[in-house]
Amino acid sequence: MNILDQIIAHKKREIALKKSVVSVNQLENSELFNSRTISLSKSVLHSPFGIISEHKRCSPSKATINHHLSLEDIVKGYENAGASGISVLTDTKFFGGSLDDLVLAKASVKTPVLRKEFIIDEYQILEAKAYGADAILLIASVLSREELKTLTAFAHSIALDVLLEVHNQAELDKSLIPGLDMIGVNNRNLKTFEVRLDTSLALVDKIPNDFVKISESGLHSTEAIKLLKSAGFNGFLIGEAFMKTNNPGAELATIIKQLKAI
């Protein structure tokens, strides 16, 4: 069983437990559930660089990345530096995140917030809205086309944008759903954790221009961002390159300054 299979197996058990503790009605009646959302896809398109900056404490491939910094300081730093959006890992077992992180991020910034999670059930989308998310991530490799369509429609019904993540041509083919907001190409293979920027370059022209195009993972330099932007990407989801520093917001500010100078 590869790491992705392990994560999904655990997620199924986790969701079942959560449903037994917090009902759908409780989520729908939470204070944040009916709050107005901000479109992440529009924020990316209206930005010159479209950087979605990520808060991530650890990962299965890198173990500990950064457990020492304040989430509030990080997300405010990202916003002040010019992030188009903020991605928050909410998986606890494998990435050290939580739904409380999502609430704190939403309370700290006005920038749209993405719930980064392994979503396989509508319940998790309700959670995302109840805890302050403006957008959710769906991963094509763990969902069928019908599941992608159903979950996307459900997210849209409660005013959440959807970033649909693919890793190859086959996943892209089943993910071209009318009305979808963003398609992200993850340069990291979630089964082996190998990173290749060629993954984005090979798929960018296969994604219709109807969708906002996002490149994810392995983006550690302004040269890589410039290359991918010139290839046709509208935005970039970057976490580790910022989180491994002592001041993620300052690192983002440096990247944006360098991009403006190119």
Side-chain angles (χ1 to χ4, degrees):
M1 181 182 288
N2 62 47
I3 187 63
L4 183 58
D5 292 334
Q6 293 176 44
I7 291 171
I8 297 303
H10 174 77
K11 202 59 56 179
K12 289 177 180 178
R13 297 190 296 270
E14 180 181 275
I15 294 165
L17 177 61
K18 285 186 172 185
K19 285 180 176 179
S20 71
V21 176
V22 180
S23 70
V24 166
N25 187 58
Q26 285 174 290
L27 292 174
E28 291 176 336
N29 285 291
S30 65
E31 185 176 350
L32 290 175
F33 192 84
N34 291 311
S35 60
R36 184 177 180 180
T37 55
I38 307 166
S39 172
L40 177 59
S41 58
K42 289 179 181 177
S43 181
V44 168
L45 282 179
H46 293 158
S47 162
F49 304 111
I51 296 178
I52 303 169
S53 304
E54 189 161 89
H55 178 269
K56 178 167 64 173
R57 293 187 179 88
C58 62
S59 76
S61 63
K62 295 292 182 180
T64 298
I65 297 172
N66 198 326
H67 278 278
H68 306 298
L69 301 180
S70 156
L71 180 146
E72 183 179 6
D73 289 343
I74 291 170
V75 299
K76 284 183 175 179
Y78 283 156
E79 181 173 65
N80 291 337
S84 299
I86 294 169
S87 170
V88 178
L89 262 296
T90 61
D91 173 80
T92 301
K93 181 175 175 63
F94 299 92
F95 291 88
S98 70
L99 283 165
D100 287 340
D101 290 340
L102 192 63
V103 172
L104 181 55
K106 184 63 176 178
S108 301
V109 299
K110 296 180 180 179
T111 304
V113 176
L114 168 74
R115 183 187 186 188
K116 186 89 172 283
E117 180 58 90
F118 297 84
I119 291 178
I120 55 175
D121 192 289
E122 289 183 0
Y123 182 86
Q124 294 165 287
I125 301 177
L126 291 173
E127 276 187 329
K129 186 69 187 297
Y131 282 81
D134 298 290
I136 61 162
L137 177 78
L138 295 179
I139 301 173
S141 61
V142 300
L143 297 165
S144 68
R145 178 172 172 82
E146 285 307 308
E147 287 171 329
L148 291 171
K149 289 172 65 176
T150 299
L151 293 175
T152 295
F154 186 73
H156 285 164
S157 76
I158 54 174
L160 295 176
D161 274 9
V162 176
L163 170 58
L164 205 166
E165 179 179 291
V166 303
H167 302 83
N168 54 49
Q169 184 69 55
E171 291 176 12
L172 176 60
D173 289 343
K174 73 174 180 180
S175 301
L176 297 179
I177 299 165
L180 185 67
D181 307 293
M182 299 166 282
I183 290 185
V185 179
N186 194 337
N187 300 305
R188 177 175 286 113
N189 184 316
L190 292 183
K191 296 181 180 179
T192 65
F193 282 90
E194 177 191 11
V195 176
R196 296 177 66 253
L197 292 186
D198 287 347
T199 304
S200 280
L201 294 171
L203 293 180
V204 63
D205 290 334
K206 309 291 180 62
I207 304 172
N209 291 328
D210 300 351
F211 305 106
V212 177
K213 305 178 186 183
I214 309 291
S215 181
E216 310 172 23
S217 299
L219 306 176
H220 298 288
S221 69
T222 53
E223 289 76 15
I225 295 171
K226 181 185 178 184
L227 172 66
L228 292 166
K229 188 167 183 62
S230 65
F233 282 97
N234 306 108
F236 310 92
L237 197 157
I238 306 172
E240 184 185 324
F242 300 144
M243 287 299 300
K244 68 182 181 181
T245 70
N246 290 325
N247 191 331
E251 185 67 16
L252 170 60
T254 298
I255 291 288
I256 289 179
K257 182 178 180 180
Q258 291 172 348
L259 287 169
K260 287 179 178 178
I262 294 175

